[in-house]
Amino acid sequence: LGYHPEIVADLPDSEWSTFFDNPEHGIFSIYTEETVHIGESHIAIEESLGDGQISILIGDRSRWHQGYGTLSLTATLDVAFYQYGLFRVWADIPEYNTHALTLFNHLGFTHEGTLRKSRPHEGARFDSVIMGMLSTEYARKT
């Protein structure tokens, strides 16, 4: 996320800008229609390369499979390409997160590589799938 929620929660308002006004990290809250906070998206920007790593977290499991991931990823891509002017975005997705792999594939990301056994999870190691998208590919989708 670019910050640790357990640390930030106790910071005075004057110090929040350290995390949330950082030009290398775009952090966005995800809300329901009823303005309930259910997650966040993040873009870790590598300005010299013109790219950014995207992550999406819907922390409220009861809200999974209701379209929030798709809407959040689309909004994050809009910011990455149209506001930040990035050329490329990418995501590092553990192979066991099949729903995320389906989501990123559905929105037009391309499998760029696999990091073998790079993710420890529940006592085992799993591959990470690197998926990416270029601004020109996203422009064709919208």
Side-chain angles (χ1 to χ4, degrees):
L1 291 173
Y3 69 97
H4 296 280
E6 67 278 5
I7 295 171
V8 174
D10 296 327
L11 288 178
D13 290 345
S14 61
E15 293 183 35
W16 273 59
S17 64
T18 303
F19 297 97
F20 296 100
D21 292 338
N22 183 338
E24 295 176 353
H25 294 278
I27 302 169
F28 311 98
S29 292
I30 301 168
Y31 292 92
T32 66
E33 297 83 8
E34 300 83 24
T35 66
V36 176
H37 182 262
I38 61 168
E40 294 181 340
S41 69
H42 176 238
I43 308 169
I45 300 164
E46 183 63 50
E47 188 175 356
S48 65
L49 298 176
D51 77 8
Q53 181 181 3
I54 288 185
S55 60
I56 303 284
L57 171 67
I58 306 296
D60 180 350
R61 290 177 179 239
S62 70
R63 304 294 181 146
W64 288 8
H65 312 296
Q66 295 181 21
Y68 292 108
T70 301
L71 290 171
S72 300
L73 182 53
T74 301
T76 304
L77 289 170
D78 284 346
V79 170
F81 291 131
Y82 301 132
Q83 183 177 332
Y84 293 160
L86 298 177
F87 177 74
R88 176 181 170 270
V89 295
W90 61 281
D92 178 345
I93 305 167
E95 68 178 331
Y96 55 81
N97 191 344
T98 57
H99 295 293
L101 290 169
T102 299
L103 169 63
F104 279 78
N105 187 56
H106 173 72
L107 288 181
F109 279 72
T110 299
H111 178 251
E112 295 183 339
T114 301
L115 303 176
R116 298 178 306 139
K117 306 299 178 201
S118 64
R119 289 285 186 121
H121 180 68
E122 297 181 350
R125 295 196 69 90
F126 295 87
D127 291 349
S128 257
V129 178
I130 306 301
M131 299 188 79
M133 177 183 282
L134 305 178
S135 59
T136 53
E137 295 166 338
Y138 186 64
R140 287 196 300 258
K141 300 261 181 224
T142 58

